[in-house]
Amino acid sequence: MEDLLTTDFWTKLLSSATDWAIKELPGIIIMVIALIIILRVARFSISRLKKTLIRKAEKNETVDNAEAEKRIDTLTSIMLGAVRIVLYTVFIIMLLGKFGIDIGPLLASAGILGLAVGFGAQELVRDYISGFFMLLEDQVRAGDVAIINGTGGLVETIGLRTISLRDFSGTVHIFQNGKISSLSNMTKDWSAMLFDI
């Protein structure tokens, strides 16, 4: 009797797994292929946009090409990161639906959780807003030599939340954008070396 129950259990499990694979698996495979294609199209489009913007900057004689290229690099890398986050979020939500998980309550609880996190993450929001305006106003770019909060060095990466700066001894410093109280860009538009003898 026990062998019959075990056999019946495995038969039902195999049957339901086969039904799920026939109904849902092709949709999941199509979603994965679509995600890969959309990511490649987004990467290609942003790369083309970058090349177009660099060409326009080279034609404009009033703009320094190296400075414009640094700013374009920074903005396009942030744009690509934002597109990836949106695509992965949509993909995960659709994938959960394919596995039979009701995403309605999940989205509602995520909204309430987002509100609670929003109150606790005011500093994070301040970092993102400060980083956005720093990029929009073209205050500093990757490759610039700058002094941030008294620490001087080469700006390696700029994100919406943080700036990474390598000082003259080789140490990397990470600054939250919302906590930057003073920023001096030593290579904005032009630069010079001063020697005190």
Side-chain angles (χ1 to χ4, degrees), residues 17-30:
T18 306
D19 287 345
W20 180 85
I22 291 171
K23 290 178 184 175
E24 302 295 339
L25 198 58
I28 292 172
I29 292 170
I30 290 170

Side-chain angles (χ1 to χ4, degrees), residues 11 13 16 18 27 35-37 67 76 91 104 109 117 128 136 154:
T11 305
L13 183 66
S16 62
T18 306
L35 176 70
I36 292 169
I37 290 171
E67 298 291 319
T76 51
F91 175 75
S109 61
V117 169
Y128 278 106
L136 185 69
L154 177 72

Side-chain angles (χ1 to χ4, degrees), residues 2 11 18 22 35 40 43 50 62 111 136 146 157 162 165 167-168 178 181 183 187 189 192-193 196:
E2 193 174 318
T11 305
T18 306
I22 291 171
L35 176 70
R40 289 193 179 195
R43 195 178 301 121
K50 179 180 170 182
T62 60
L136 185 69
T157 57
T162 60
L165 179 123
D167 71 11
F168 303 117
S181 57
L183 189 148
T187 54
D189 298 330
M193 293 287 277
D196 190 6

Side-chain angles (χ1 to χ4, degrees), residues 24 27-28 30-32 34-35 38 87-101 103 107:
E24 302 295 339
I28 292 172
I30 290 170
M31 282 172 38
V32 170
L35 176 70
I38 292 171
L87 287 174
Y88 284 131
T89 304
V90 170
F91 175 75
I92 288 170
I93 289 171
M94 291 174 68
L95 190 63
L96 289 174
K98 286 288 184 188
F99 280 106
I101 299 170
I103 57 172
L107 291 176

Side-chain angles (χ1 to χ4, degrees), residues 22 31 54 57 65 75-76 78-79 90 93 95 98 106 117 124 140 148 153 166 169 186:
I22 291 171
M31 282 172 38
I54 289 173
N65 292 340
L75 290 173
T76 51
I78 288 172
M79 195 185 308
V90 170
I93 289 171
L95 190 63
K98 286 288 184 188
L106 190 67
V117 169
L124 185 69
V140 68
I148 301 175
R166 186 176 296 275
S169 65
M186 300 169 72

Side-chain angles (χ1 to χ4, degrees), residues 117-130 160-161 176-179:
V117 169
F119 284 119
Q122 291 176 355
E123 192 172 303
L124 185 69
V125 172
R126 185 180 66 194
D127 290 341
Y128 278 106
I129 291 171
S130 299
L160 283 176
R161 197 178 74 78
Q176 290 177 297
N177 290 335
K179 290 189 176 178

Side-chain angles (χ1 to χ4, degrees), residues 144-197:
D144 283 348
V145 176
I147 300 172
I148 301 175
N149 292 349
T151 304
L154 177 72
V155 177
E156 289 193 335
T157 57
I158 300 176
L160 283 176
R161 197 178 74 78
T162 60
I163 286 184
S164 153
L165 179 123
R166 186 176 296 275
D167 71 11
F168 303 117
S169 65
T171 307
V172 175
H173 301 269
I174 309 294
F175 297 95
Q176 290 177 297
N177 290 335
K179 290 189 176 178
I180 295 175
S181 57
S182 69
L183 189 148
S184 306
N185 192 338
M186 300 169 72
T187 54
K188 174 99 175 179
D189 298 330
W190 66 273
S191 62
M193 293 287 277
L194 298 176
F195 295 97
D196 190 6
I197 300 174

